[in-house]
Amino acid sequence: MSYYFSGSFFIPHAIVDGILDAGTGYTMWGNFIRGRAVVDAPVNIRLQGYQTMPPNGVVRVLAEATGFISFADLRLFVVITEDSIYYNAPNGTKWHNQTMRDMLPTAYGDPISGFMSPGDTLIREYSYDISSWAPDKCNVVVFIQDYATKEILQCASSRISELQVGIEESKSRNLASLFALSPGYPNPFSDRAKIEYTIPSNGRVQLHIYDSSGSLVRTLVRGWESAGKHMEYWDGNDDFGREVASGIYFSRLSYEGNTRVTKLSLVK
């Protein structure tokens, strides 16, 4: 707790996303959590894993930046927790879940660099040893946090026994075929670029073009679209019909809370 506050706390004290003090009144914690849940996270995280010497193994973290990230000291934290721990606490609680057992690689996190723009990716692997605990009750919790401000950008969790590379990769390929955004063709382009995208079912779609500073340049699609493959063109102009300068741009597809981002190079 001293990481967030000075002094001692003997009553459960909730800190939401590292920056909101939800206090000790647990009946209000849900309001704080729901308030932060509507904030669009600039990162997506997926977890995979495999066993090396059962029950021990490796957890793989795959992160993708879906927005622009300006934090100076990003770190990746990996926490091993265990459920169903018996302890007769003074308040009468006997069974405890999500009890922290270990942090990988250390409690200070793993520094992240070069992870600032939409489309940037990160892959890290960490070995875990859960032989001293109940393997079928162990979980992995992963989050990306700015060490200076304490703000948590995104998190993901899974039961360790469910981290199977083959299954996760199969799901990933299936999702990619149903919800996808092409990198644009040609790329680089000087006249216009063809941008193709696919959505798995009817839904509300937005397709925007951003410049390298994160400013909105052009809205290509905003509305209801049918399932399947679609095609749009960007002619290198902004929403006011003005030509934009040569440089790196980003097309961002949003659909039902999911996003895809690709880079475009405009050369004139």
Side-chain angles (χ1 to χ4, degrees):
M1 181 59 84
S2 60
Y3 178 66
Y4 296 101
F5 296 103
S6 60
S8 300
F9 292 90
F10 301 99
I11 300 175
H13 200 96
I15 307 298
V16 180
D17 275 359
I19 56 174
L20 294 182
D21 178 8
T24 59
Y26 67 90
T27 58
M28 296 298 296
W29 290 354
N31 293 336
F32 284 89
I33 294 171
R34 285 187 289 272
R36 285 293 294 177
V38 301
V39 178
D40 188 22
V43 180
N44 284 335
I45 299 176
R46 289 194 302 113
L47 303 179
Q48 298 176 344
Y50 53 91
Q51 290 187 329
T52 51
M53 298 180 64
N56 302 329
V58 172
V59 58
R60 179 184 298 165
V61 181
L62 304 96
E64 178 186 9
T66 59
F68 291 90
I69 302 172
S70 58
F71 297 93
D73 190 5
L74 282 183
R75 303 191 189 189
L76 179 67
F77 291 85
V78 180
V79 184
I80 303 297
T81 68
E82 186 180 4
D83 290 340
S84 302
I85 304 297
Y86 181 84
Y87 178 76
N88 192 5
N91 64 358
T93 303
K94 299 184 185 306
W95 295 98
H96 302 264
N97 293 324
Q98 293 290 323
T99 301
M100 189 179 73
R101 288 301 197 183
D102 197 9
M103 296 188 73
L104 311 173
T106 71
Y108 297 100
D110 195 358
I112 298 174
S113 61
F115 193 68
M116 302 181 296
S117 302
D120 290 344
T121 58
L122 174 74
I123 301 177
R124 299 281 173 89
E125 290 191 345
Y126 305 92
S127 298
Y128 60 82
D129 182 346
I130 55 175
S131 57
S132 299
W133 311 305
D136 61 330
K137 297 178 181 178
C138 286
N139 315 282
V140 59
V141 180
V142 175
F143 58 95
I144 293 177
Q145 182 178 40
D146 179 56
Y147 204 70
T149 66
K150 305 298 189 287
E151 182 170 356
I152 294 175
L153 279 67
Q154 183 62 283
C155 66
S157 64
S158 173
R159 184 76 80 177
I160 285 183
S161 60
E162 296 176 358
L163 290 175
Q164 301 181 49
V165 168
I167 293 176
E168 289 296 326
E169 289 180 343
S170 175
K171 289 180 179 178
S172 177
R173 286 195 295 269
N174 184 51
L175 176 61
S177 67
L178 295 176
F179 177 53
L181 174 65
S182 77
Y185 179 83
N187 194 7
F189 76 100
S190 59
D191 182 21
R192 68 173 186 170
K194 180 175 68 174
I195 302 173
E196 296 179 330
Y197 64 92
T198 304
I199 57 175
S201 60
N202 300 346
R204 189 166 297 280
V205 173
Q206 295 185 66
L207 179 60
H208 299 295
I209 304 294
Y210 293 88
D211 63 20
S212 57
S213 70
S215 298
L216 177 63
V217 173
R218 181 76 175 270
T219 298
L220 297 178
V221 178
R222 179 186 288 164
W224 191 267
E225 295 281 3
S226 59
K229 192 172 184 178
H230 300 266
M231 183 188 307
E232 294 290 334
Y233 289 91
W234 182 42
D235 57 7
N237 293 339
D238 64 14
D239 279 329
F240 299 97
R242 300 172 300 199
E243 291 187 357
V244 299
S246 298
I248 300 297
Y249 294 84
F250 299 90
S251 59
R252 178 174 179 174
L253 175 68
S254 300
Y255 160 79
E256 300 297 329
N258 300 289
T259 60
R260 290 288 185 271
V261 178
T262 59
K263 292 183 180 180
L264 289 165
S265 296
L266 174 60
V267 179
K268 294 186 177 180

